[in-house]
Amino acid sequence: RYPLLFAPLDLGFTQLKNRAIMGSMHTGLEEAENGFPRLAAYFGERARGGVGMIITGGISPNSEGGVGAKLQTKEEAQQHRVVTDAVHATAPDVKICMQILHMGALAHNPQCVAPTAVKSRIGSFTPRELDEDGIEKQLADFAHCAAMARQSGYDGVEIIGSAGYLLSTFLVEKTNLRCDQWGGPFENRMRFPVEVIRRVRAAVGADFILIFRISAMDMLEDGMSWDEILILAKAVEAAGANIISTHFTWHEANVPTLATMVPRAAFTQVTGRLRKALTVPLITSNRINMPDVAESVLARGDADLISMARPMLADPELILKAQQGREDEINTCIACNQACLDHAFSARMTSCLVNPRACHETELNYRAAPAPKRLAVVGAGPAGLAYATVAAQRGHKVTLFEAADEIGGLFNLAKRIPGKEEFHETLRYYRRMIELHGVELHLNTRVDAATLRAMAFDEVIIATGVEPRRPLLEGIDSPKVVSYADAILGRKSIGKRVAVMGAGGIGFDVAELISHTGVSASVDVKVFAREWGIDFENHPRGGVTGVQPQVAAASRTVYLMQRKTDAVGKGLGTDNRMDPPADTEAAGGADDQWGRVSEDR
Ligand code: SF4
């Protein structure tokens, strides 16, 4: 099964047992009370789950680096030892590398530093420009941090040189206005990242994994050109990196690279092009969430290694299940970002929408029930499904009642929205869990209290969901007024000019569905590239410079209305929200306080 995914990779001084990597993701455990023992349990579970190498969330080399967790002192090194010991004890053949993250201008810290005092569009502070001494200090801190990582038991480090963090801001002209040896021509702009690699390699020795994360397509107007990326990658290789990891955006870019609307493996072709010019192994990533997708990326020759971060939150046993032919038991990451990245970027503890145990491994455990009961669960939406299958897994005898003719509740609406096709995976997973754990499922069955009483259950769990609120608006009884469920399920016809009242997540989903034309961009990379203005073939600067997004014309005009005067979409999750495209008209302050946006598609 998956011969390429399970092929070992020889790095000379060490070997990776397979091509599956748990990619870096900051969880919040790094700064939490008792966080390192919790991290040890979190990573230990993923190591047991079959992955070949783990890369931790970002750890700063110094306080300017901006992450709450840093590695500079012996005391800090001792905390990391808890994690590395746990992973190596659990799975001696699994490698663990620490990501060194210096946030530069994106640090939430008034002391933040950068090559030039240019404030990022999404930054909190204008950074202080580094002088020559400041640059030397940063270089020394990177090298010291890597040496401490080695002392802490890590098998390697990953240095992030992308995303708008410190190293990448040296590379791009708009964030590096210097005229000294660290700015100006590209050879000077890449001097700092390359010097970081040299210093780190010198500090850790030859037999330590050194991964460098490069922006292979930064999605910035006037970002890096393809030639510059090639020059940088070759210099990174020559400076001592063992592996290059490709990254596809800066956080401030306006192109989605992680959301569920992004096609699976959409960006791996860029890694593939870079791979042809290099000799070190390359990691690719982004929206690779199932083993067959990983295998086909490897088969195309796009990469040597596959990084999966969120999929490992959703299912710590993803790789093991793939190896054992249990793919239908994989709890697939649906790229919703709701409990992982949205939490990480708002300084909340990370978890996973489809796996609430993620990052709670020491406190949320499903132990065998000491006295199994007969349980009735009413409602087979996501809550009822989660309860029923976990209770059955623990040994209870569970009967699940659902009034509809299929499981899923509101997920059955969500899966119909163009760009949310991944929601089918969660329903597939629960169908299998019902079967696996012996839940007795009754579809098309609306139960009442008398029926449940007559069946003498020990306990009844009500998970029937919510009824949509019906606002008291003049005209609400007009035949022209349609509920969102009727609109999404196609139970009522929709006209050519439509007002969607409410611009929250559901309002956006309805607007997307009824204004959509043609194939869903999330299942076709070419359509996705056209709609977001990405040129994969010619790779202009940033992949996007001078490329106009083209969205197929809609067959109806949709007005998306909200009471708030904020920009529409502001309340949506940060990682699924992009700035409005240039052709979107936003107008607030109609008489009744409903703002509006005309979706021109
Ligand atoms: Fe994936 Fe959503 Fe879970 Fe994040 S919260 S890991 S995106 S399923």
Side-chain angles (χ1 to χ4, degrees), residues 47-65:
R48 250 193 317 278
V51 69
M53 180 162 71
I54 289 169
I55 301 173
T56 68
I59 303 288
S60 276
N62 53 27
S63 53
E64 304 92 281

Side-chain angles (χ1 to χ4, degrees), residues 25 258 309-314 332-341 351-355:
M25 194 152 101
L258 292 165
R310 297 172 299 167
M312 299 290 174
L313 259 76
T332 306
C333 167
I334 58 173
C336 66
N337 293 337
Q338 287 185 31
C340 55
L341 295 176
S351 188
C352 172
L353 187 85
V354 301
N355 173 25

Side-chain angles (χ1 to χ4, degrees), residues 335-406:
C336 66
N337 293 337
Q338 287 185 31
C340 55
L341 295 176
D342 284 351
H343 281 205
F345 287 115
S346 53
R348 285 180 289 165
M349 180 65 69
T350 292
S351 188
C352 172
L353 187 85
V354 301
N355 173 25
R357 283 197 69 247
C359 300
H360 299 280
E361 287 76 9
T362 56
E363 51 199 26
L364 180 58
N365 283 299
Y366 306 137
R367 302 210 168 83
K373 296 177 181 175
R374 288 185 67 243
L375 304 176
V377 179
V378 184
L385 288 167
Y387 187 93
T389 53
V390 169
Q393 179 192 339
R394 296 185 59 212
H396 295 296
K397 175 88 186 98
V398 181
T399 307
L400 176 59
F401 298 100
E402 170 55 49
D405 60 359
E406 59 183 341

